[in-house]
Amino acid sequence: MRWNARLEGMRAYEPGKTIAEVQREYGLERIVKLASNENPFGCPPAAADFLRETETETELYPDGYATALRTGLAEKLGVTPRQLLFGGGSDEIIVILARALLSERDNTVAPWPSFPQYRHNARIEGAEMREIPLAGHSHDLDAMLRAIDDETSIVWLCTPNNPTGGIIPDNELRAFISKVPEHVLVVVDNAYHEYVTSPEYRDPISLIDDFPNVIVLRTFSKAYGLAACRVGYAVGPEEIISKLEPVRPPFNTTVAGQGAALAALGDAGFIEQCREQNEKGKARYERFAEQHGLECPRSEANFVLMEVKGSADEVTGELLKKGFIVRSGDKLGTPGFIRITVGNEKDNEALLGALAEVLSLGVPGA
């Protein structure tokens, strides 16, 4: 077979072990999964009701334009329906952007460590990937600006950043974009928007009115608790969205996904409750880190990055044996740290108890 040469050596995204896999491997009954930044409180009741009660005509394709969801979301965000692009999670929007804007002639600039799908899709399209190391745990915006040239097509910004959890303050974000040439698309990956509480933050959708080369990515997979439904979206100027729509696969969001997302939109109270519980959970992790002399940078997302002073792979392996699934920073570009999704109070306390036991035994490789 004549495979695309760019695929040589590439590996599929590794989402981490499933609950069933860990149960089989270690013979455990109860598994706590805090690895994929899912919402431990589920989805809004209206979305759950929709999924439970709505009969789907499975022989029919979904609305390829997602008309009802498009209308409802546009009204909520204060944009026009033609400013929205839908995908199977925001991951698919990244694929669409890379396919539409990147080629062997182009380069693209991104922070590192950050979401690895920027690199993955740039490589598939043959573009040069210019990854700029974080300064501490923050985007090095000055260095990113220096990396931009006439062949740059996309700059990726992840705020809050995955896996470090930090945001780009609004004033810094605007100052940066004002210096980016207009031929470069600035992608603001904003998957954890609903969790942010920092006073330095402002909804990035406001950027679209001021800059013609900005697009913002969001998802229903995180705070809205609809990861299984796979609905993400982009918001941008109509001129940009109209260029991207022909690249979008037809019927790429499902009937269940569209309906559940639309039902979830109206439950602001649910999102507020999740945000409040998330803040309490993060504070508990921060106290643990302080008590044990570990670094745990402030996160504005629904996860924390916790130092382990040793091999992150070894620590995650020991936690697996105890029934806890977290992500090793060795696989995320943050060696010596683990990424932990903030769960409910019971699961947070159980995880921290297990982590204290592992660390007290002495972490291999320390």
Side-chain angles (χ1 to χ4, degrees):
M1 297 182 185
R2 304 176 70 177
W3 296 103
N4 184 334
R6 299 174 199 142
L7 300 181
E8 184 67 30
M10 294 189 71
R11 299 178 62 183
Y13 178 76
E14 297 181 30
K17 290 181 179 289
T18 66
I19 290 174
E21 286 175 322
V22 177
Q23 286 177 319
R24 288 194 301 268
E25 186 171 350
Y26 296 103
L28 300 169
E29 290 187 8
R30 182 172 185 268
I31 305 298
V32 177
K33 185 186 178 201
L34 298 173
S36 300
N37 305 338
E38 296 142 330
N39 188 338
F41 305 106
C43 65
D49 290 344
F50 174 87
L51 292 169
R52 182 174 54 252
E53 298 170 1
T54 303
E55 293 186 8
T56 301
E57 296 176 289
T58 58
E59 74 280 9
L60 301 179
Y61 285 109
D63 174 2
Y65 196 60
T67 305
L69 175 58
R70 181 180 297 273
T71 302
L73 183 58
E75 182 177 349
K76 179 178 177 63
L77 298 178
V79 299
T80 70
R82 288 191 295 275
Q83 287 183 265
L84 296 171
L85 177 76
F86 290 95
S90 55
D91 305 47
E92 188 180 38
I93 305 292
I94 294 171
V95 174
I96 291 170
L97 288 165
R99 190 175 184 188
L101 287 158
L102 299 179
S103 72
E104 299 93 335
R105 302 183 302 275
D106 306 302
N107 70 67
T108 179
V109 177
W112 182 256
S114 192
F115 192 43
Q117 292 301 291
Y118 311 144
R119 172 199 296 171
H120 184 86
N121 286 286
R123 183 172 175 181
I124 290 173
E125 301 303 330
E128 177 192 354
M129 186 74 222
R130 297 181 177 177
E131 290 179 314
I132 309 303
L134 297 180
H137 297 292
S138 302
H139 288 57
D140 189 340
L141 296 177
D142 289 337
M144 293 182 74
L145 275 174
R146 291 193 296 270
I148 296 170
D149 60 25
D150 291 343
E151 281 69 53
T152 304
S153 287
I154 301 177
V155 171
W156 307 90
L157 303 173
C158 193
T159 180
N161 187 47
N162 179 11
T164 56
I167 61 162
I168 305 172
D170 178 66
N171 62 329
E172 296 179 21
L173 185 57
R174 288 176 174 273
F176 172 82
I177 297 172
S178 69
K179 299 172 185 175
V180 174
E182 286 194 9
H183 76 270
V184 178
L185 179 66
V186 179
V187 179
V188 181
D189 192 345
N190 199 209
Y192 299 93
H193 161 74
E194 289 82 6
Y195 287 108
V196 182
T197 61
S198 170
E200 296 182 315
Y201 179 84
R202 182 181 175 193
D203 187 341
I205 290 178
S206 64
L207 297 166
I208 295 167
D209 291 333
D210 299 326
F211 301 100
N213 58 332
V214 173
I215 191 169
V216 178
L217 310 190
R218 294 263 175 89
T219 183
F220 285 92
S221 297
K222 303 303 181 185
Y224 282 100
L226 292 172
C229 293
R230 310 308 299 128
V231 181
Y233 61 95
V235 190
E238 290 186 16
E239 295 80 2
I240 292 177
I241 299 299
S242 67
K243 291 287 189 182
L244 295 171
E245 276 288 0
V247 187
R248 178 181 63 83
F251 312 115
N252 64 329
T253 54
T254 66
V255 171
Q258 292 178 26
L262 179 59
L265 273 180
D267 199 338
F270 173 84
I271 297 298
E272 180 59 31
Q273 291 172 13
C274 290
R275 184 164 47 242
E276 290 176 0
Q277 291 302 312
N278 187 62
E279 285 298 303
K280 292 179 182 178
K282 286 189 297 185
R284 180 66 185 93
Y285 282 103
E286 290 166 1
R287 289 196 302 273
F288 177 92
E290 184 177 358
Q291 292 163 0
H292 290 80
L294 304 172
E295 186 179 0
C296 183
R298 167 66 188 176
S299 170
E300 292 292 340
N302 68 334
F303 57 83
V304 295
L305 193 67
M306 179 79 71
E307 185 184 18
V308 294
K309 294 189 182 296
S311 167
D313 279 351
E314 294 284 355
V315 170
T316 54
E318 292 300 313
L319 289 172
L320 269 180
K321 296 175 185 177
K322 296 176 178 292
F324 297 92
I325 309 174
V326 299
R327 289 286 279 177
S328 168
D330 291 348
K331 295 178 173 61
L332 301 174
T334 54
F337 289 78
I338 58 175
R339 192 191 69 192
I340 309 167
T341 303
V342 178
N344 60 41
E345 184 176 0
K346 177 182 177 181
D347 289 346
N348 292 335
E349 290 300 325
L351 180 279
L352 288 173
L355 181 58
E357 290 178 6
V358 171
L359 296 179
S360 69
L361 295 174
V363 180

